[in-house]
Amino acid sequence: MSKAVVSTLYDSDVFRMACRQFDQAADAINLPEDIRDRTKYPRRCLAVSLPVRRDNGGVTVFEGYRVQHNLSTGPSKGGIRFHESVTLGEVAALAMWMSWKCSLVGLPYGGAKGGVIVNPRELSLSELEHLSRRYMQEMIGFVGPEVDIAAPDVGTNEQIMAWMMDTYSNHVGHISPGVVTGKPISLGGSEGRREATGAGIAYLVGKYLEDMKIPINGSTVAIQGFGNVGSESAAALSSMGAKIVAVSDYTGGIYNAAGIDIKKALAYLRYARTLKDFDGGEPIANDRLLELDCTVLIPAALERVITKDNAPRLKCRLLAEGANGPTTNEADRIIEARGDIELIPDILCNSGGVIVSYFEWLQNLQSFYWSRDDVIAKLHAILDKAKDSVEYQKRKLKFGRRLAALTLGIGRVAEAKQKRGLFP
Ligand code: NAD
């Protein structure tokens, strides 16, 4: 069988990591050779230059991307990241994981992701608006409610989604809320979307701790990243009785063995915009936080923070991957060989975000809006089903939990592609 002729377009550590995960899963389920490359590599991508008028009268050109990994099982779906370390390869890896995630939890979507190389903290509000609108303007022929639907990711939020939706709607001549999710509720956002990823993580952590016969009440949690995912996980877990002993952001972390007052930390963050100098505990470095003795460790910032160097030193009982791709392939092997840490893999653990994004899109298409209780009940039902299917696959095929989740996600995408056939 001939192999794909693949350029170096996406080549990067994180894309190679996603490809290795794919290869391992494809081997584990004997995925036929003739479907592998078609399932593995992104379908298409767009790279754009984004000139933005600065407040001082000058112009800065930013670079942005959108990668659509899979369009065979529905429109593609995935967040947009504004961060200075974005690369096309990173966006491609994140798009790939979105495909497996949507497939694993049974959503009618393929995976996509977008990104702009920018530190949004260095832009004024009006510069951020110009950049967001320009990005969507450049994407207009490439996205849409039936083609590709965006959402927030690192460095983007509800306001940015609102500007993007407005830009797209102005172009098509009528309001088109279904082009992005994670919008403000006043513009067709869903009840429960803002907290969905963190609420889903907390729900699954609760379920897995139950399986491990560890009471959540009094269990300790360390969280790296205190943005949407990290802070909402912290709020949900602390309301379930867990003690949040450490949180961090890009400036560093805070440790408090007696438990951090999460409401106070959130109030401080709203005013100071970072956790720096928050007096709710003692300072702790981000890499030390990962090695804390705790019941649950939640990486909720960027990829590849758990490596072959720190994996032998982790002291958590449960590793709940809030971020996408936080654990390298080498660290995965070490954690599995240790056998004393349970893992909730990213494509299951943080799927609450895209599940409620799907609910938001459905509500937009039907112009019929659900209550928060409805949203949460439906979210839990999907998470329960996905967890059961992962546990069944894990037992049946004697796989680790990541391999179980990946083989389910990848297997379904490959099957759909095979059934559709190869055009022309
Ligand atoms: P965010 O921008 O709201 O928050 C990111 C947090 O990480 C911030 O607190 C930031 O200061 C911190 N951070 C950045 N660089 C860091 C570093 N080097 N060390 C420590 N902390 C650092 O982003 P988010 O939406 O919370 O996304 C976090 C992760 O969760 C990403 O991997 C994202 O892809 C994933 N995710 C997000 C969603 C969602 O709904 N937003 C859904 C699924 C997965």
Side-chain angles (χ1 to χ4, degrees), residues 81 83 94 101 113 152-155 193 197 224-230 248-250 286 300-303 322-324 350 353:
R81 179 171 293 194
H83 194 273
L94 291 163
K101 188 185 306 181
K113 207 80 179 190
D153 190 77
V154 174
R193 174 60 186 92
T197 312
Q224 184 188 65
F226 203 59
N228 174 280
V229 176
S248 72
D249 65 12
Y250 74 99
N286 261 302
L302 301 176
E303 305 87 57
N324 289 303
N350 66 35

PDB file of all heavy atoms in Angstrom, residues 81 83 94 101 113 152-155 193 197 224-230 248-250 286 300-303 322-324 350 353, ligand 1:
ATOM      1  N   ARG A  81      -7.629  29.997  19.087  1.00  0.00           N
ATOM      2  CA  ARG A  81      -6.660  30.339  20.135  1.00  0.00           C
ATOM      3  C   ARG A  81      -5.929  31.618  19.763  1.00  0.00           C
ATOM      4  O   ARG A  81      -5.461  31.745  18.630  1.00  0.00           O
ATOM      5  CB  ARG A  81      -5.678  29.165  20.267  1.00  0.00           C
ATOM      6  CG  ARG A  81      -4.603  29.391  21.288  1.00  0.00           C
ATOM      7  CD  ARG A  81      -3.799  28.114  21.531  1.00  0.00           C
ATOM      8  NE  ARG A  81      -4.593  27.080  22.173  1.00  0.00           N
ATOM      9  CZ  ARG A  81      -4.091  25.976  22.733  1.00  0.00           C
ATOM     10  NH1 ARG A  81      -2.787  25.768  22.703  1.00  0.00           N
ATOM     11  NH2 ARG A  81      -4.877  25.086  23.307  1.00  0.00           N
ATOM     12  N   HIS A  83      -2.665  33.243  21.018  1.00  0.00           N
ATOM     13  CA  HIS A  83      -1.524  33.040  21.919  1.00  0.00           C
ATOM     14  C   HIS A  83      -0.245  33.242  21.119  1.00  0.00           C
ATOM     15  O   HIS A  83      -0.190  32.924  19.928  1.00  0.00           O
ATOM     16  CB  HIS A  83      -1.570  31.626  22.515  1.00  0.00           C
ATOM     17  CG  HIS A  83      -0.657  31.434  23.693  1.00  0.00           C
ATOM     18  ND1 HIS A  83       0.659  31.078  23.557  1.00  0.00           N
ATOM     19  CD2 HIS A  83      -0.882  31.561  25.024  1.00  0.00           C
ATOM     20  CE1 HIS A  83       1.212  30.995  24.771  1.00  0.00           C
ATOM     21  NE2 HIS A  83       0.297  31.282  25.663  1.00  0.00           N
ATOM     22  N   LEU A  94      -4.412  20.182  17.389  1.00  0.00           N
ATOM     23  CA  LEU A  94      -5.632  20.457  18.162  1.00  0.00           C
ATOM     24  C   LEU A  94      -6.881  20.111  17.339  1.00  0.00           C
ATOM     25  O   LEU A  94      -7.873  19.611  17.882  1.00  0.00           O
ATOM     26  CB  LEU A  94      -5.649  21.927  18.604  1.00  0.00           C
ATOM     27  CG  LEU A  94      -4.593  22.304  19.668  1.00  0.00           C
ATOM     28  CD1 LEU A  94      -4.407  23.832  19.735  1.00  0.00           C
ATOM     29  CD2 LEU A  94      -4.987  21.771  21.048  1.00  0.00           C
ATOM     30  N   LYS A 101     -12.449  13.649  19.616  1.00  0.00           N
ATOM     31  CA  LYS A 101     -13.320  13.997  20.747  1.00  0.00           C
ATOM     32  C   LYS A 101     -14.792  13.998  20.326  1.00  0.00           C
ATOM     33  O   LYS A 101     -15.639  13.390  20.976  1.00  0.00           O
ATOM     34  CB  LYS A 101     -12.921  15.383  21.269  1.00  0.00           C
ATOM     35  CG  LYS A 101     -13.600  15.800  22.552  1.00  0.00           C
ATOM     36  CD  LYS A 101     -13.245  17.254  22.927  1.00  0.00           C
ATOM     37  CE  LYS A 101     -11.750  17.465  22.989  1.00  0.00           C
ATOM     38  NZ  LYS A 101     -11.381  18.838  23.376  1.00  0.00           N
ATOM     39  N   LYS A 113      -9.690  23.613  14.222  1.00  0.00           N
ATOM     40  CA  LYS A 113      -9.130  24.527  15.216  1.00  0.00           C
ATOM     41  C   LYS A 113      -8.606  25.747  14.488  1.00  0.00           C
ATOM     42  O   LYS A 113      -8.249  25.671  13.301  1.00  0.00           O
ATOM     43  CB  LYS A 113      -7.986  23.857  15.986  1.00  0.00           C
ATOM     44  CG  LYS A 113      -7.786  24.403  17.367  1.00  0.00           C
ATOM     45  CD  LYS A 113      -8.797  23.825  18.348  1.00  0.00           C
ATOM     46  CE  LYS A 113      -8.596  24.341  19.753  1.00  0.00           C
ATOM     47  NZ  LYS A 113      -9.408  23.603  20.716  1.00  0.00           N
ATOM     48  N   PRO A 152     -14.584  29.575  21.675  1.00  0.00           N
ATOM     49  CA  PRO A 152     -13.413  30.114  22.383  1.00  0.00           C
ATOM     50  C   PRO A 152     -12.398  29.030  22.736  1.00  0.00           C
ATOM     51  O   PRO A 152     -12.744  27.862  22.887  1.00  0.00           O
ATOM     52  CB  PRO A 152     -14.001  30.699  23.673  1.00  0.00           C
ATOM     53  CG  PRO A 152     -15.473  30.630  23.548  1.00  0.00           C
ATOM     54  CD  PRO A 152     -15.787  29.601  22.526  1.00  0.00           C
ATOM     55  N   ASP A 153     -11.151  29.430  22.822  1.00  0.00           N
ATOM     56  CA  ASP A 153     -10.077  28.565  23.330  1.00  0.00           C
ATOM     57  C   ASP A 153      -9.140  29.494  24.109  1.00  0.00           C
ATOM     58  O   ASP A 153      -9.546  30.613  24.489  1.00  0.00           O
ATOM     59  CB  ASP A 153      -9.376  27.835  22.171  1.00  0.00           C
ATOM     60  CG  ASP A 153      -8.423  26.744  22.654  1.00  0.00           C
ATOM     61  OD1 ASP A 153      -8.896  25.670  23.048  1.00  0.00           O
ATOM     62  OD2 ASP A 153      -7.192  26.951  22.642  1.00  0.00           O
ATOM     63  N   VAL A 154      -7.901  29.100  24.309  1.00  0.00           N
ATOM     64  CA  VAL A 154      -6.956  29.925  25.071  1.00  0.00           C
ATOM     65  C   VAL A 154      -6.894  31.337  24.473  1.00  0.00           C
ATOM     66  O   VAL A 154      -6.705  31.496  23.258  1.00  0.00           O
ATOM     67  CB  VAL A 154      -5.550  29.284  25.061  1.00  0.00           C
ATOM     68  CG1 VAL A 154      -4.530  30.191  25.731  1.00  0.00           C
ATOM     69  CG2 VAL A 154      -5.587  27.925  25.734  1.00  0.00           C
ATOM     70  N   GLY A 155      -7.077  32.347  25.297  1.00  0.00           N
ATOM     71  CA  GLY A 155      -6.916  33.739  24.868  1.00  0.00           C
ATOM     72  C   GLY A 155      -8.121  34.333  24.160  1.00  0.00           C
ATOM     73  O   GLY A 155      -8.084  35.495  23.758  1.00  0.00           O
ATOM     74  N   ARG A 193     -22.932  27.239  28.984  1.00  0.00           N
ATOM     75  CA  ARG A 193     -21.767  27.054  28.122  1.00  0.00           C
ATOM     76  C   ARG A 193     -20.482  27.554  28.772  1.00  0.00           C
ATOM     77  O   ARG A 193     -19.442  26.914  28.668  1.00  0.00           O
ATOM     78  CB  ARG A 193     -21.951  27.750  26.751  1.00  0.00           C
ATOM     79  CG  ARG A 193     -20.693  27.714  25.852  1.00  0.00           C
ATOM     80  CD  ARG A 193     -20.240  26.299  25.523  1.00  0.00           C
ATOM     81  NE  ARG A 193     -18.993  26.177  24.788  1.00  0.00           N
ATOM     82  CZ  ARG A 193     -17.773  26.038  25.319  1.00  0.00           C
ATOM     83  NH1 ARG A 193     -17.624  26.031  26.643  1.00  0.00           N
ATOM     84  NH2 ARG A 193     -16.729  25.893  24.563  1.00  0.00           N
ATOM     85  N   THR A 197     -17.043  23.273  30.224  1.00  0.00           N
ATOM     86  CA  THR A 197     -15.849  22.420  30.206  1.00  0.00           C
ATOM     87  C   THR A 197     -15.460  22.051  31.636  1.00  0.00           C
ATOM     88  O   THR A 197     -15.230  20.878  31.957  1.00  0.00           O
ATOM     89  CB  THR A 197     -14.687  23.116  29.473  1.00  0.00           C
ATOM     90  OG1 THR A 197     -15.183  23.632  28.234  1.00  0.00           O
ATOM     91  CG2 THR A 197     -13.557  22.148  29.200  1.00  0.00           C
ATOM     92  N   GLN A 224      -3.382  23.526  37.106  1.00  0.00           N
ATOM     93  CA  GLN A 224      -2.500  24.441  36.370  1.00  0.00           C
ATOM     94  C   GLN A 224      -3.318  25.158  35.296  1.00  0.00           C
ATOM     95  O   GLN A 224      -3.901  24.512  34.426  1.00  0.00           O
ATOM     96  CB  GLN A 224      -1.360  23.671  35.696  1.00  0.00           C
ATOM     97  CG  GLN A 224      -0.391  24.623  35.008  1.00  0.00           C
ATOM     98  CD  GLN A 224       0.643  23.906  34.159  1.00  0.00           C
ATOM     99  OE1 GLN A 224       0.313  23.260  33.169  1.00  0.00           O
ATOM    100  NE2 GLN A 224       1.897  24.028  34.537  1.00  0.00           N
ATOM    101  N   GLY A 225      -3.348  26.497  35.347  1.00  0.00           N
ATOM    102  CA  GLY A 225      -4.180  27.258  34.408  1.00  0.00           C
ATOM    103  C   GLY A 225      -5.438  27.684  35.139  1.00  0.00           C
ATOM    104  O   GLY A 225      -6.157  26.837  35.699  1.00  0.00           O
ATOM    105  N   PHE A 226      -5.705  28.985  35.172  1.00  0.00           N
ATOM    106  CA  PHE A 226      -6.883  29.471  35.899  1.00  0.00           C
ATOM    107  C   PHE A 226      -7.709  30.367  34.983  1.00  0.00           C
ATOM    108  O   PHE A 226      -8.183  31.423  35.355  1.00  0.00           O
ATOM    109  CB  PHE A 226      -6.433  30.214  37.166  1.00  0.00           C
ATOM    110  CG  PHE A 226      -7.479  30.274  38.246  1.00  0.00           C
ATOM    111  CD1 PHE A 226      -8.019  29.115  38.785  1.00  0.00           C
ATOM    112  CD2 PHE A 226      -7.926  31.495  38.739  1.00  0.00           C
ATOM    113  CE1 PHE A 226      -8.984  29.170  39.789  1.00  0.00           C
ATOM    114  CE2 PHE A 226      -8.889  31.569  39.741  1.00  0.00           C
ATOM    115  CZ  PHE A 226      -9.413  30.401  40.270  1.00  0.00           C
ATOM    116  N   GLY A 227      -7.854  29.906  33.724  1.00  0.00           N
ATOM    117  CA  GLY A 227      -8.701  30.621  32.777  1.00  0.00           C
ATOM    118  C   GLY A 227     -10.086  30.005  32.817  1.00  0.00           C
ATOM    119  O   GLY A 227     -10.554  29.558  33.875  1.00  0.00           O
ATOM    120  N   ASN A 228     -10.731  29.928  31.662  1.00  0.00           N
ATOM    121  CA  ASN A 228     -12.089  29.384  31.631  1.00  0.00           C
ATOM    122  C   ASN A 228     -12.126  27.976  32.228  1.00  0.00           C
ATOM    123  O   ASN A 228     -12.890  27.694  33.153  1.00  0.00           O
ATOM    124  CB  ASN A 228     -12.619  29.396  30.185  1.00  0.00           C
ATOM    125  CG  ASN A 228     -13.967  28.712  30.068  1.00  0.00           C
ATOM    126  OD1 ASN A 228     -14.063  27.501  30.023  1.00  0.00           O
ATOM    127  ND2 ASN A 228     -15.030  29.491  30.074  1.00  0.00           N
ATOM    128  N   VAL A 229     -11.276  27.088  31.719  1.00  0.00           N
ATOM    129  CA  VAL A 229     -11.352  25.675  32.111  1.00  0.00           C
ATOM    130  C   VAL A 229     -10.890  25.482  33.561  1.00  0.00           C
ATOM    131  O   VAL A 229     -11.573  24.836  34.370  1.00  0.00           O
ATOM    132  CB  VAL A 229     -10.522  24.808  31.139  1.00  0.00           C
ATOM    133  CG1 VAL A 229     -10.508  23.357  31.577  1.00  0.00           C
ATOM    134  CG2 VAL A 229     -11.085  24.926  29.727  1.00  0.00           C
ATOM    135  N   GLY A 230      -9.729  26.040  33.905  1.00  0.00           N
ATOM    136  CA  GLY A 230      -9.186  25.844  35.244  1.00  0.00           C
ATOM    137  C   GLY A 230     -10.072  26.437  36.322  1.00  0.00           C
ATOM    138  O   GLY A 230     -10.355  25.797  37.347  1.00  0.00           O
ATOM    139  N   SER A 248      -2.864  28.082  39.288  1.00  0.00           N
ATOM    140  CA  SER A 248      -1.794  28.898  38.710  1.00  0.00           C
ATOM    141  C   SER A 248      -2.259  29.519  37.400  1.00  0.00           C
ATOM    142  O   SER A 248      -3.260  29.094  36.817  1.00  0.00           O
ATOM    143  CB  SER A 248      -0.554  28.034  38.434  1.00  0.00           C
ATOM    144  OG  SER A 248      -0.795  27.193  37.333  1.00  0.00           O
ATOM    145  N   ASP A 249      -1.521  30.532  36.964  1.00  0.00           N
ATOM    146  CA  ASP A 249      -1.696  31.039  35.608  1.00  0.00           C
ATOM    147  C   ASP A 249      -0.310  31.278  35.025  1.00  0.00           C
ATOM    148  O   ASP A 249       0.683  30.771  35.571  1.00  0.00           O
ATOM    149  CB  ASP A 249      -2.610  32.273  35.566  1.00  0.00           C
ATOM    150  CG  ASP A 249      -2.024  33.474  36.290  1.00  0.00           C
ATOM    151  OD1 ASP A 249      -0.829  33.448  36.637  1.00  0.00           O
ATOM    152  OD2 ASP A 249      -2.767  34.456  36.492  1.00  0.00           O
ATOM    153  N   TYR A 250      -0.219  32.038  33.933  1.00  0.00           N
ATOM    154  CA  TYR A 250       1.080  32.181  33.271  1.00  0.00           C
ATOM    155  C   TYR A 250       2.108  32.915  34.144  1.00  0.00           C
ATOM    156  O   TYR A 250       3.298  32.859  33.889  1.00  0.00           O
ATOM    157  CB  TYR A 250       0.928  32.877  31.907  1.00  0.00           C
ATOM    158  CG  TYR A 250       0.651  34.359  32.021  1.00  0.00           C
ATOM    159  CD1 TYR A 250       1.675  35.293  31.861  1.00  0.00           C
ATOM    160  CD2 TYR A 250      -0.626  34.827  32.310  1.00  0.00           C
ATOM    161  CE1 TYR A 250       1.426  36.653  31.993  1.00  0.00           C
ATOM    162  CE2 TYR A 250      -0.885  36.169  32.452  1.00  0.00           C
ATOM    163  CZ  TYR A 250       0.146  37.075  32.290  1.00  0.00           C
ATOM    164  OH  TYR A 250      -0.105  38.414  32.434  1.00  0.00           O
ATOM    165  N   ASN A 286       4.960  26.940  38.446  1.00  0.00           N
ATOM    166  CA  ASN A 286       4.086  26.068  37.663  1.00  0.00           C
ATOM    167  C   ASN A 286       4.589  24.629  37.590  1.00  0.00           C
ATOM    168  O   ASN A 286       3.799  23.689  37.651  1.00  0.00           O
ATOM    169  CB  ASN A 286       3.929  26.642  36.256  1.00  0.00           C
ATOM    170  CG  ASN A 286       2.639  27.408  36.112  1.00  0.00           C
ATOM    171  OD1 ASN A 286       1.557  26.856  36.325  1.00  0.00           O
ATOM    172  ND2 ASN A 286       2.733  28.691  35.795  1.00  0.00           N
ATOM    173  N   ALA A 300      -4.644  22.511  33.014  1.00  0.00           N
ATOM    174  CA  ALA A 300      -5.719  23.208  32.284  1.00  0.00           C
ATOM    175  C   ALA A 300      -5.157  24.452  31.596  1.00  0.00           C
ATOM    176  O   ALA A 300      -5.785  25.515  31.590  1.00  0.00           O
ATOM    177  CB  ALA A 300      -6.868  23.576  33.237  1.00  0.00           C
ATOM    178  N   ALA A 301      -3.929  24.311  31.050  1.00  0.00           N
ATOM    179  CA  ALA A 301      -3.333  25.453  30.340  1.00  0.00           C
ATOM    180  C   ALA A 301      -2.949  25.003  28.923  1.00  0.00           C
ATOM    181  O   ALA A 301      -3.814  24.936  28.049  1.00  0.00           O
ATOM    182  CB  ALA A 301      -2.139  25.994  31.111  1.00  0.00           C
ATOM    183  N   LEU A 302      -1.674  24.651  28.730  1.00  0.00           N
ATOM    184  CA  LEU A 302      -1.201  24.363  27.371  1.00  0.00           C
ATOM    185  C   LEU A 302      -0.780  22.895  27.220  1.00  0.00           C
ATOM    186  O   LEU A 302      -0.831  22.124  28.171  1.00  0.00           O
ATOM    187  CB  LEU A 302      -0.041  25.296  27.021  1.00  0.00           C
ATOM    188  CG  LEU A 302      -0.391  26.795  27.088  1.00  0.00           C
ATOM    189  CD1 LEU A 302       0.849  27.637  26.829  1.00  0.00           C
ATOM    190  CD2 LEU A 302      -1.497  27.158  26.106  1.00  0.00           C
ATOM    191  N   GLU A 303      -0.299  22.552  26.007  1.00  0.00           N
ATOM    192  CA  GLU A 303       0.107  21.167  25.729  1.00  0.00           C
ATOM    193  C   GLU A 303       1.472  20.856  26.327  1.00  0.00           C
ATOM    194  O   GLU A 303       2.259  21.744  26.619  1.00  0.00           O
ATOM    195  CB  GLU A 303       0.239  20.911  24.214  1.00  0.00           C
ATOM    196  CG  GLU A 303      -0.950  21.234  23.374  1.00  0.00           C
ATOM    197  CD  GLU A 303      -0.950  22.679  22.936  1.00  0.00           C
ATOM    198  OE1 GLU A 303       0.016  23.138  22.305  1.00  0.00           O
ATOM    199  OE2 GLU A 303      -1.933  23.363  23.263  1.00  0.00           O
ATOM    200  N   GLY A 322      -7.603  18.508  31.647  1.00  0.00           N
ATOM    201  CA  GLY A 322      -8.465  19.621  31.244  1.00  0.00           C
ATOM    202  C   GLY A 322      -7.975  20.249  29.956  1.00  0.00           C
ATOM    203  O   GLY A 322      -8.750  20.562  29.047  1.00  0.00           O
ATOM    204  N   ALA A 323      -6.661  20.422  29.850  1.00  0.00           N
ATOM    205  CA  ALA A 323      -6.072  20.970  28.618  1.00  0.00           C
ATOM    206  C   ALA A 323      -6.088  19.901  27.528  1.00  0.00           C
ATOM    207  O   ALA A 323      -6.241  18.709  27.812  1.00  0.00           O
ATOM    208  CB  ALA A 323      -4.630  21.402  28.883  1.00  0.00           C
ATOM    209  N   ASN A 324      -5.905  20.315  26.304  1.00  0.00           N
ATOM    210  CA  ASN A 324      -5.718  19.370  25.199  1.00  0.00           C
ATOM    211  C   ASN A 324      -4.233  19.036  25.083  1.00  0.00           C
ATOM    212  O   ASN A 324      -3.399  19.942  25.069  1.00  0.00           O
ATOM    213  CB  ASN A 324      -6.210  19.997  23.893  1.00  0.00           C
ATOM    214  CG  ASN A 324      -7.715  20.100  23.857  1.00  0.00           C
ATOM    215  OD1 ASN A 324      -8.421  19.104  24.000  1.00  0.00           O
ATOM    216  ND2 ASN A 324      -8.239  21.317  23.687  1.00  0.00           N
ATOM    217  N   ASN A 350     -12.265  16.829  28.796  1.00  0.00           N
ATOM    218  CA  ASN A 350     -12.692  18.222  28.575  1.00  0.00           C
ATOM    219  C   ASN A 350     -13.795  18.333  27.519  1.00  0.00           C
ATOM    220  O   ASN A 350     -14.053  19.421  27.003  1.00  0.00           O
ATOM    221  CB  ASN A 350     -11.484  19.116  28.237  1.00  0.00           C
ATOM    222  CG  ASN A 350     -10.841  18.766  26.901  1.00  0.00           C
ATOM    223  OD1 ASN A 350     -11.517  18.387  25.956  1.00  0.00           O
ATOM    224  ND2 ASN A 350      -9.525  18.910  26.816  1.00  0.00           N
ATOM    225  N   GLY A 353     -17.106  20.987  27.026  1.00  0.00           N
ATOM    226  CA  GLY A 353     -17.137  22.251  26.286  1.00  0.00           C
ATOM    227  C   GLY A 353     -17.789  22.088  24.924  1.00  0.00           C
ATOM    228  O   GLY A 353     -18.741  22.807  24.574  1.00  0.00           O
TER     229      GLY A 353
HETATM  230  P1  NAD B   1      -7.913  30.521  28.900  1.00  0.00           P
HETATM  231  O1  NAD B   1      -7.197  31.448  28.010  1.00  0.00           O
HETATM  232  O2  NAD B   1      -9.246  30.912  29.432  1.00  0.00           O
HETATM  233  O3  NAD B   1      -6.989  30.150  30.148  1.00  0.00           O
HETATM  234  C1  NAD B   1      -5.687  29.662  29.982  1.00  0.00           C
HETATM  235  C2  NAD B   1      -5.011  29.696  31.345  1.00  0.00           C
HETATM  236  O4  NAD B   1      -3.717  29.113  31.234  1.00  0.00           O
HETATM  237  C3  NAD B   1      -4.794  31.128  31.869  1.00  0.00           C
HETATM  238  O5  NAD B   1      -4.981  31.134  33.262  1.00  0.00           O
HETATM  239  C4  NAD B   1      -3.343  31.395  31.519  1.00  0.00           C
HETATM  240  O6  NAD B   1      -2.734  32.375  32.332  1.00  0.00           O
HETATM  241  C5  NAD B   1      -2.773  30.023  31.772  1.00  0.00           C
HETATM  242  N1  NAD B   1      -1.472  29.812  31.131  1.00  0.00           N
HETATM  243  C6  NAD B   1      -1.050  30.211  29.902  1.00  0.00           C
HETATM  244  N2  NAD B   1       0.220  29.848  29.703  1.00  0.00           N
HETATM  245  C7  NAD B   1       0.602  29.195  30.828  1.00  0.00           C
HETATM  246  C8  NAD B   1       1.802  28.577  31.235  1.00  0.00           C
HETATM  247  N3  NAD B   1       2.865  28.545  30.429  1.00  0.00           N
HETATM  248  N4  NAD B   1       1.840  28.011  32.468  1.00  0.00           N
HETATM  249  C9  NAD B   1       0.762  28.035  33.279  1.00  0.00           C
HETATM  250  N5  NAD B   1      -0.404  28.592  32.945  1.00  0.00           N
HETATM  251  C10 NAD B   1      -0.474  29.162  31.738  1.00  0.00           C
HETATM  252  O7  NAD B   1      -8.020  29.123  28.109  1.00  0.00           O
HETATM  253  P2  NAD B   1      -9.033  27.925  28.390  1.00  0.00           P
HETATM  254  O8  NAD B   1     -10.189  28.096  27.483  1.00  0.00           O
HETATM  255  O9  NAD B   1      -9.242  27.762  29.845  1.00  0.00           O
HETATM  256  O10 NAD B   1      -8.197  26.677  27.814  1.00  0.00           O
HETATM  257  C11 NAD B   1      -7.252  25.964  28.608  1.00  0.00           C
HETATM  258  C12 NAD B   1      -7.019  24.584  27.991  1.00  0.00           C
HETATM  259  O11 NAD B   1      -8.254  23.864  27.930  1.00  0.00           O
HETATM  260  C13 NAD B   1      -6.476  24.586  26.561  1.00  0.00           C
HETATM  261  O12 NAD B   1      -5.686  23.433  26.380  1.00  0.00           O
HETATM  262  C14 NAD B   1      -7.736  24.448  25.719  1.00  0.00           C
HETATM  263  O13 NAD B   1      -7.472  23.944  24.424  1.00  0.00           O
HETATM  264  C15 NAD B   1      -8.510  23.474  26.578  1.00  0.00           C
HETATM  265  N6  NAD B   1      -9.951  23.431  26.354  1.00  0.00           N
HETATM  266  C16 NAD B   1     -10.713  24.566  26.437  1.00  0.00           C
HETATM  267  C17 NAD B   1     -12.094  24.473  26.279  1.00  0.00           C
HETATM  268  C18 NAD B   1     -13.009  25.666  26.436  1.00  0.00           C
HETATM  269  O14 NAD B   1     -14.212  25.478  26.399  1.00  0.00           O
HETATM  270  N7  NAD B   1     -12.512  26.871  26.639  1.00  0.00           N
HETATM  271  C19 NAD B   1     -12.689  23.245  25.986  1.00  0.00           C
HETATM  272  C20 NAD B   1     -11.877  22.107  25.923  1.00  0.00           C
HETATM  273  C21 NAD B   1     -10.519  22.224  26.116  1.00  0.00           C
END
